[in-house]
Structure formats: structure tokens, C-alpha cells
Amino acid sequence: MPVLNEAPTLARALGAAQVHRQAGAELIVVDGGSDDATLALCAGHADRLLQAPRGRASQMNLGARQARAATLLFLHADTVLPERAVDIVAAQLAGGHHRWGRFDVSIVGRSGMLAVIAACMNLRSRLTGMATGDQAIFVERELFDAVGGFPAQPLMEDIELSRRLLRTGRPACVDAKAVTSGRRWDQRGVWRTILLMWRLRLLYWLGVPAERLAGAYR
């Protein structure tokens, strides 16, 4: 779980994650330089708390290197997994049909449009095989290492990882939903955020470097 000044939402995420720790998962929180109460909230609620250079890619790569398990799952600090996520992931990766995957997503926020956005995200992901960080990407550790992990870029690191993984096989698309916060849509406005994200994704597919796109996203 990469974090950076997540105090307003972290208590909910950490609390919800305890059921997965009880089921045998190791929870590693990787901080990117928080200056709020984030670190204090993690005390007693994570198996390990690490420090990494700011940026989701570098934070998640460090967590992956330090993890003990053969399966990795990357969870955003504003996202809550379904209760039996550990068993679900194990079942999806058993038998060799899939080596990576993601959950369907449900978005919680003020706008009624968020349900439509989530449905479109889930459908698009099924059709294209691409996954976003909000969907709690999980992957065999051996495969993650083989594709080089997350790229060292400030934006679209989840899209680029999906690209790499998709070359090795289609993802498992789990119907059970990860519940994520709609805060960026609430803060920026639904249509403004939709148009921004599609514009950035189009430019990325056209070859514009993620470093240039990161400024527009912020």
C-alpha cells in the first residue's frame, strides 16, 4: 500500500485490511514522505512500514521487493478489498489459467454518475485486458519481477504494468468489487475528471512521456 499524506482516509483502509492480515496476508505500507498523521495511524496496523522516494511506482516496487509472499497485491490507500480477497486471489491464480488479475471496482462519492463510471471501467478492463490501480492489481511475484515491475514514471505506471503483463496473458477479472473513493471526481468535477483522464490516456498511447503528462494531471 503506497501512502502519502493519507491521514483523512487511511484509518478506514487499514481497519478494513485487518481481516486480510488475519487470513494470512502481509500488509506492507510504503510511505513517500508524509508530513501528516499517516505514519502514526499505521502503528500496529501494518506488518511493515517502509520509506521510499515519493512516487507510487518507486513505493510499490520497494514494497514488492520486501514482500515475503509469492503473490503480490497493490492496494491504494483509499480502496477497500472485498472481505474474502485472500481466498479469491488464491483461487484465481490456482491452476495456471491466470498469473495476474484485478477486481471489479465500485466508486463511492457524491455524484450519481460514479456508478456509471465504475461500470464503464469494469467493462473496458474486461474488453481490453488493461487494469488500473483502483482495481487492486494482483500478480505472481515471479511474473512481476520478470516484466520489470512498475516503470519508473510519475503517472500511468499501472497502465504500463498492465501492458507488460498483458503480453504474457490475459488477467483474471474478478466480479467481487473493490470499493474505492470518488474523491478526485468529487473535488474536480465528474465531467472535468473524465475528460482529463481520457485526454491523458490518449496522449500517453500516442507516445507523450508520462513526465509531461504528470503536470497536467496535478
Side-chain angles (χ1 to χ4, degrees):
M1 179 187 292
V3 297
L4 177 64
N5 293 331
E6 292 286 357
T9 60
L10 192 56
R12 174 174 175 264
L14 290 173
Q18 300 314 299
V19 67
H20 310 305
R21 292 179 71 199
Q22 294 167 9
E26 177 187 28
L27 176 59
I28 300 175
V29 177
V30 188
D31 182 64
S34 297
D35 56 14
D36 64 356
T38 291
L39 299 180
L41 287 169
C42 291
H45 292 92
D47 296 289
R48 276 188 282 177
L49 177 59
L50 307 175
Q51 296 281 341
R54 179 177 300 192
R56 272 183 177 159
S58 65
Q59 291 171 241
M60 291 188 289
N61 282 337
L62 176 61
R65 289 195 298 271
Q66 296 294 320
R68 301 186 180 97
T71 300
L72 307 171
L73 185 147
F74 301 95
L75 181 66
H76 287 182
D78 61 356
T79 301
V80 173
L81 293 171
E83 186 173 335
R84 295 183 58 81
V86 172
D87 293 336
I88 291 171
V89 170
Q92 291 293 328
L93 298 183
H97 296 296
H98 299 287
R99 300 188 65 191
W100 71 289
R102 91 310 176 265
F103 288 82
D104 272 0
V105 68
S106 174
I107 307 174
V108 177
R110 294 193 299 267
S111 174
M113 278 293 295
L114 294 177
V116 177
I117 293 169
C120 290
M121 287 174 59
N122 298 331
L123 177 60
R124 181 192 67 216
S125 181
R126 274 185 164 75
L127 293 175
T128 65
M130 301 295 289
T132 65
D134 292 331
Q135 293 175 298
I137 296 171
F138 55 89
V139 57
E140 293 178 358
R141 182 198 191 97
E142 183 179 350
L143 179 60
F144 180 79
D145 291 340
V147 301
F150 286 98
Q153 59 190 55
L155 193 68
M156 304 288 182
E157 75 287 338
D158 49 357
I159 298 299
E160 187 58 38
L161 177 66
S162 290
R163 268 183 177 177
R164 298 176 181 183
L165 293 173
L166 192 54
R167 296 186 191 115
T168 73
R170 298 279 298 183
C173 296
V174 179
D175 290 333
K177 290 181 172 58
V179 180
T180 192
S181 169
R183 57 183 174 174
R184 72 181 171 197
W185 286 277
D186 288 341
Q187 292 167 358
R188 296 178 175 179
V190 170
W191 289 111
R192 181 183 176 192
T193 302
I194 291 173
L195 292 174
L196 173 64
M197 295 307 298
W198 276 106
R199 173 173 169 267
L200 293 177
R201 190 163 294 179
L202 174 62
L203 291 172
Y204 186 70
W205 284 109
L206 292 174
V208 178
E211 289 75 14
R212 286 180 54 188
L213 299 178
Y217 178 73
R218 297 190 187 101

